[in-house]
Amino acid sequence: KQLRKKSEQLKNLVNQKTKQLASRIEELSAINSIQKDLVAQNDENKICTLVGDKVQELFRAEQAYISIKNSSDEFYFPYVYNLSSEEEGRELFLLTSEIEVSQKQEESENYSIKLPINSGTEEIGVLGLKNKVKLDEDDWNLLHNITNQLGTALHNIYLFKTAEEARIIAEEANEAKSTFLSTVSHEL
């Protein structure tokens, strides 16, 4: 009798661990898929659309958005799923205050989820979701990983654009130098 009980406990433990492992494999697969997509992109709007669509699909969100700060510290929405312009305005108003990690249940029985998107130590935006299911710890970890990847990808785009602008300025300066030297040597 004790042997059967112990056997049943072990089976339950194996089933529980198998479910946890399957969930972790699914998470890693999602992260890997997003990472591959992000590496291939060099456009902020396309990256936000890729990530937004993937997050909406993974978490079966009824509403989702990604909001990013521009160079004037104003928020804009490169990705919106099922959000009215009125709701966009309300979210924009709420974003002007401190961005914090939150999961709040609203009157409509939906959960409102917000996570900051960081680039290094700077908050550059927020990813928001609304759905009927409360996120568990694994979901939070996955969402944090996704927002970290998004922040890194957006930072890389910024660095690439900055380097490209510096390259163009250097080429223009080099061309001006060549023209000047050519003019000076011709005059001599």
Side-chain angles (χ1 to χ4, degrees), residues 121-152:
T121 59
E122 182 184 359
E123 290 179 351
I124 61 168
V126 66
L127 183 144
L129 300 173
K130 288 186 182 179
N131 64 5
K132 292 188 184 292
V133 180
K134 186 174 183 178
L135 298 184
D136 63 17
E137 187 178 341
D138 290 337
D139 291 335
W140 274 107
N141 290 336
L142 177 57
L143 206 49
H144 276 285
N145 283 330
I146 290 169
T147 57
N148 288 339
Q149 285 182 352
L150 178 57
T152 299

Side-chain angles (χ1 to χ4, degrees), residues 26-183:
E26 188 178 321
E27 282 178 30
L28 292 173
S29 175
I31 290 170
N32 190 36
S33 168
I34 290 170
Q35 203 166 26
K36 282 181 184 176
D37 290 342
L38 291 179
V39 168
Q41 286 299 327
N42 195 7
D43 179 86
E44 188 174 285
N45 290 327
K46 287 181 182 177
I47 283 178
C48 289
T49 299
L50 284 167
V51 171
D53 285 345
K54 185 61 94 172
V55 165
Q56 188 279 323
E57 175 189 325
L58 283 170
F59 296 100
R60 295 172 197 86
E62 293 181 5
Q63 295 178 326
Y65 65 88
I66 295 175
S67 182
I68 304 294
K69 284 184 194 177
N70 64 18
S71 57
S72 304
D73 275 348
E74 298 171 338
F75 284 96
Y76 70 98
F77 292 84
Y79 178 81
V80 174
Y81 174 78
N82 204 22
L83 209 64
S84 70
S85 56
E86 179 183 308
E87 290 169 312
E88 244 182 80
R90 187 173 63 241
E91 292 300 326
L92 189 58
F93 175 75
L94 294 172
L95 291 174
T96 57
S97 60
E98 191 83 11
I99 301 169
E100 60 183 59
V101 177
S102 65
Q103 177 171 233
K104 298 175 183 165
Q105 189 168 16
E106 299 178 335
E107 294 173 14
S108 62
E109 297 299 316
N110 284 343
Y111 288 91
S112 176
I113 297 137
K114 294 179 183 164
L115 274 168
I117 300 167
N118 297 311
S119 175
T121 59
E122 182 184 359
E123 290 179 351
I124 61 168
V126 66
L127 183 144
L129 300 173
K130 288 186 182 179
N131 64 5
K132 292 188 184 292
V133 180
K134 186 174 183 178
L135 298 184
D136 63 17
E137 187 178 341
D138 290 337
D139 291 335
W140 274 107
N141 290 336
L142 177 57
L143 206 49
H144 276 285
N145 283 330
I146 290 169
T147 57
N148 288 339
Q149 285 182 352
L150 178 57
T152 299
L154 294 173
H155 183 69
N156 288 343
I157 288 173
Y158 168 77
L159 292 175
F160 179 79
K161 286 179 180 177
T162 302
E164 186 65 19
E165 289 168 2
R167 183 190 62 78
I168 290 169
I169 290 169
E171 285 177 357
E172 289 171 354
N174 192 38
E175 191 174 316
K177 178 188 82 170
S178 295
T179 303
F180 173 74
L181 289 174
S182 171
T183 304

